[in-house]
Amino acid sequence: MITLSKRSAVEPFHAMDVLAEANRRRQAGRPVISMAVGQPSHAAPKASLDAAEAALKHGRIGYTDALGLRELREVIATSYRLRHATIIDPARIAVTTGSSAAFNLAFLGLFDVGDAVAIARPGYPAYRNILKALGLTVVEVPVTAETGYTLTPASLERAETRAGRKLKGVLLASPANPTGTVTGREALKRLITYCDSRNITFISDEIYHGLTFVGEETSAVEISDNAVVINSFSKYYCMTGWRIGWMVLPETLIRPIECLAQSMYISAPELSQLAATAAFSAEEELDVYKESYRTNRDFLLSRLPELGLPLVSPMDGAFYAYVDVSRYSNDSMEFAKLMLAEIDVAATPGLDFDPVEGHRAMRFSYAGSESDIAEAVGRIGGWLK
Ligand SMILES: Cc1ncc(COP(=O)(O)O)c(C=O)c1O
């Protein structure tokens, strides 16, 4: 008999389970529309596909430096100059196997077993699961209308008091998943200044940058050299399956992350790195996709409340509508299962994002095509009647 580790007892990522069931139904010929997983329906930018094709024709795909190809690190650094008027030394960029690998590396580089790290609730479930699997203490901080659906110095202080321990880290996404909250420049500055003054490391998940519809998009690099910034090519760049992302690191963290990455991943896939390097020239193409998300957003913003599904939080960024389903159900898992079984529409139960209040919330991703979103909403409207 084998015995399992305690750390392996992580919650399932229900969105992935819903996706697996949706795929099974699709294979069985059902007309499934998936609004469950946050992934664009578009292909990677043409320039990226061309770069990958050329690499496949000409070269051997091998390991790269653990921190990534020099050209990619340089174009990433340049993007901070162009978009955020901030000069970043390419040496501070670490290329990673998606932002998911970046979380592992950052948590290992920054925290020891038992250290307390604050995250927003509702929030992206993998944060909680990775932190727990690494033996860290997760401090979930509720974000509500009162806190502008984001973390604030006051809510962190309250969380520290409640937890009875000092925080070592704070992790925040802006735009956020599932709330869509965009944390504005001043609010982000207050938060980072608070963390800096207390030796709490601020980790900024900027994976939804490029997908802000209301408000300003501020990177933590503009505010502090101590913040760890995590980003990815998965969302705005439409490259989920290429598993490629990056970090901007404080100086002292570069070498430890390099050493951890050498042993844990050797390097991010070279093919994906070459494709990602070309993605920065594809803004025109990608902004067209962004406009289609905006159309979906505006449509959902008016239609969902009409169907008795009011928004829990404003949809200012990312591509999610997080709605209150309590008029119909107090069991979001059951709601998701029934909706898929009866009208072939897949969405994610709020329990993924919020173990306390998520039983009465659902998340709908609007990264799909305009026609799919319209069809799905039509089906939901008929079903809820
Ligand atoms: C907030 C957030 N961070 C990180 C990720 C992970 O993305 P990836 O590993 O594809 O970069 C996701 C995926 O949905 C997300 O929503």
Side-chain angles (χ1 to χ4, degrees), residues 188 192 202 204 206 209 218-225 227-229:
L188 194 63
I192 294 179
F202 187 81
S204 185
E206 302 183 358
H209 268 213
T218 309
S219 171
V221 297
E222 298 168 41
I223 298 170
S224 170
D225 289 340
V228 173
V229 172

Side-chain angles (χ1 to χ4, degrees), residues 98-100 103 124 127 173 177 205 207-208 232 234-235 243 320:
S99 68
S100 302
F103 294 120
Y124 178 55
Y127 299 153
N177 172 13
D205 181 353
I207 186 171
Y208 291 103
S232 168
S234 287
K235 309 293 175 171
R243 310 307 306 128
Y320 305 110

Side-chain angles (χ1 to χ4, degrees), residues 26 30 61 76 120 129 143 232 252 304 317 327 334-335 369:
R26 196 174 278 133
R30 307 285 317 170
I61 305 297
I76 292 171
N129 295 339
V143 295
S232 168
T252 49
L304 290 172
R327 181 164 155 191
E334 192 58 21
F335 187 92
S369 70

Side-chain angles (χ1 to χ4, degrees), residues 160-180:
E160 269 191 333
T161 310
R162 251 194 334 270
R165 53 192 305 170
K166 213 185 142 336
L167 295 174
K168 276 296 291 279
V170 169
L171 167 55
L172 180 73
S174 173
N177 172 13
T179 55

